[in-house]
Amino acid sequence: MSIYIRRVSHHATSVISLIALLVFLPLFLLAIGKTVTLISKATGTAANIVIDTTSQLEPIKTDFYHAFAQGGEENNDMIASIIGDVKALKPKYIRIDHLYDYYNVVGKNGDTLTFDWTRLDAYINSIGSTGAKPVLALSYMPSVIAKDGNIINPPNNWDEWALVVQKTIEHYSGKGERNMPGVIYEVWNEPDLAQFGSWKMGGDKNYLTLYRYASIGANNAKNVNPFSLGGPSTTGLYKSWIMGLVNSGNRVNFFSWHSYLTDPKRFATDQRNIIDWLLPYPTYVLLPKFITEFGFTGAKSKGYGGTFGSAHAAAVIRQLISGGPTYLFSFQLKDGPLQSDGTGWGLITNDDNGLKKKPRYFLYNFLDAMAGTRLQLSGEGTWVTGFSSKKEDTIRLLLVNFDGNGNHAEAVPVTFANLDSGDYDLKQRFLVGRETKTTISVTEASFTTTISMPAQSVLLLELIKKN
Amino acid sequence: MKKFVFILVGIIMLLGIPATVFLSSRNQELRKKAAPATTLSLSPSVVTKKVGEEFTLEAMINTADNQVVASEIQLAFDPTKLEAISITNGIKFPLILVSGTIGSGTASISVGAANTTTPITGSGTAAIITFKTLAATTTPTSITFAPETFVGALGESATNVLVNSIPAKITITSSATAETPTPTPTLSLQTTGTATPTPTLASSSASASVSALQITAPSSSQTLLTDQPTIRGKATPNATVTITIYSEPQTVTVVTDANGDWKYVVSDPLEAGPHTIVVAALDPITNVTKTATLAFVVSDQTGNNATGSAMPISGVVENTLALLFIGLFFILAGAFIPTFMTIRL
């Protein structure tokens, strides 16, 4: 056997090395990235919940999350077929958009604008039947006044846009017409999104101009009940848009934005940010703040069909339970058609898929049990968060295990400190899950238990003193 | 003729200097009146606790003339000595704008009025904070309002109307050491300037009756025309009441009479501006130290004792001295230059 060694030139070696580098370097970097992602997903802090049952904080608000939005996936009254189910959600407000492009409201006779409210009125009537007040996103530009007839363009004549807004407000808030108090008018919907016009804070498609003429129309409305006008209804909370409105000098009764964020803590960060921006503006800092759409992603996702969506919503509400927005609008009430794959945003499936309720539908009334005075709670973790309340002789704890990246399950130690001695009923109720009840005896002023929290679960635990 | 001109110049200078001083002081006066003057204080301002114990402080606001709509309260403290447990809004601020946040050595919350048509005025509790002691102190450790603390008011644009803040001093004894018998305020019980003095959001230990310890004079937010006011109040008979007056702390103790009345005439004249009284007394029945807090303002128009308070607060003594020296220079110049020139002539 002989070994033949062929000498290769330096040039060839260099070329081979370069090719190897080009092939393997991206793979190496990809592997590093994946490893970091996996490690970061897996690392976090486990919860160790301690509730001081004698330390009472502020009253808990349970109204703010009873607000819902319905997108325009069908150009008809999407609520009509689910009025009973929506009414059971005890909605305070229901928001809709596409006012002027779906319901043939605005026409033109020569140079005169004409208004036909018949179809939109039917939709507003359905909203009213649920017990909610409407939030009307003044959108989109009526084609009869829009440049090139395009509903995401500015109007040919801004005065006509002001008139459309004026007539809308006079129709729904007018004492001589629908006579509805407390209607909220939001100027446009997601103006920064290309789909809805790519409006900017300047230039040819200036949102501030769109808003200014809406404000003029609102101010021109005669004989109307109190109503609110605001915006900018952007796809996220953006400082330039909020401060643009503040500095515009126009009528602003509220600030609104949408939040599609997987991390629930980002919702609390947004609240801190907007207050920080507005603190130097005393006449604006207290104005209502509406998150007029929220979810974990703006894209359609099967997560909305299962417990991922309900756990996310619960985790967001936990973040906003103190210092949250005036209203948090869940998007949306009903799926659009042809979404039987379960990717729709709805709390209820579409008529073509049996109007079935998804887990998120059951969350809102489930959370209402937490009404009372908030108790001091410590030891929340990366995935398991919660808040506690006391009402009369019942102490309650809401726990949420939300893992935006995987399927993290956790056994959570829970301690109720400074309890009165005696016997208690301990009830555990999972959202769309099992319910248990036991009796415990407290002798040393505290009670500790371990709760098994499956991935994407929401638990209500009640401790009721027995007489 | 020349002598007449020099005399005329001298007279003008003699008149001009006092006029300049007067106008300058008026200008400072106007600035002072325009200046916002809201104060924040922590109550009780003096706490003694053992290691491992919890206690509650109230962040008290005195808005003075401002119509306050919102406040971002940020507290700073030594994280090796203290741990913040919770922070929430006080009864004076019904809205939590940003949820309370606890950090190592920090606690913050943003609170607001219900709306801009009902801004906050007067005195009361802005926030309630619970702490836990971690380690003994050799000297009292402070809980202070961080410089980022902000108070916004209608008509003041972006100005932070907070001009003064009063910290709390915490003495932490080791758990083996017996607690000192001196009155140890554990919880503020009175929200001054409100019709309902028992804060509904205070912790459960705030159950003592406010009537047991009261400050009856001056009244809340009263503007006093004397810089040595008489402070009166009620407590249980024959109790020792510790009185502390801020901003420059003066602490004295008085004993109540058989009717429970106590009074103290401030001995050191107070500066013009906002002040806070904190009184503490041990309830012999419950053995719990109770405190009461009241804010008041000393007017700069005080008639008696014009020594310290005659100087406008927002002015500085250096300006006035400079003006006096300039005036003196002109007086001397007016006196000597004509003589010198006459001699030369």
Side-chain angles (χ1 to χ4, degrees), chain A residues 201-215:
Chain A
M201 296 303 281
D204 292 339
K205 295 185 79 172
N206 186 347
Y207 178 76
L208 291 178
T209 307
L210 181 77
Y211 191 95
R212 179 157 60 91
Y213 279 90
S215 170

Side-chain angles (χ1 to χ4, degrees), chain A residues 57-58 272 279-280 282 322-323 376, chain B residues 72 85 88 96 98-99 153 157-158:
Chain A
L57 304 173
E58 73 280 355
R272 276 197 294 278
L279 263 178
S322 172
Q376 181 188 310
Chain B
E72 180 180 355
I85 302 294
T88 190
I96 296 179
V98 176
S99 181
S157 189

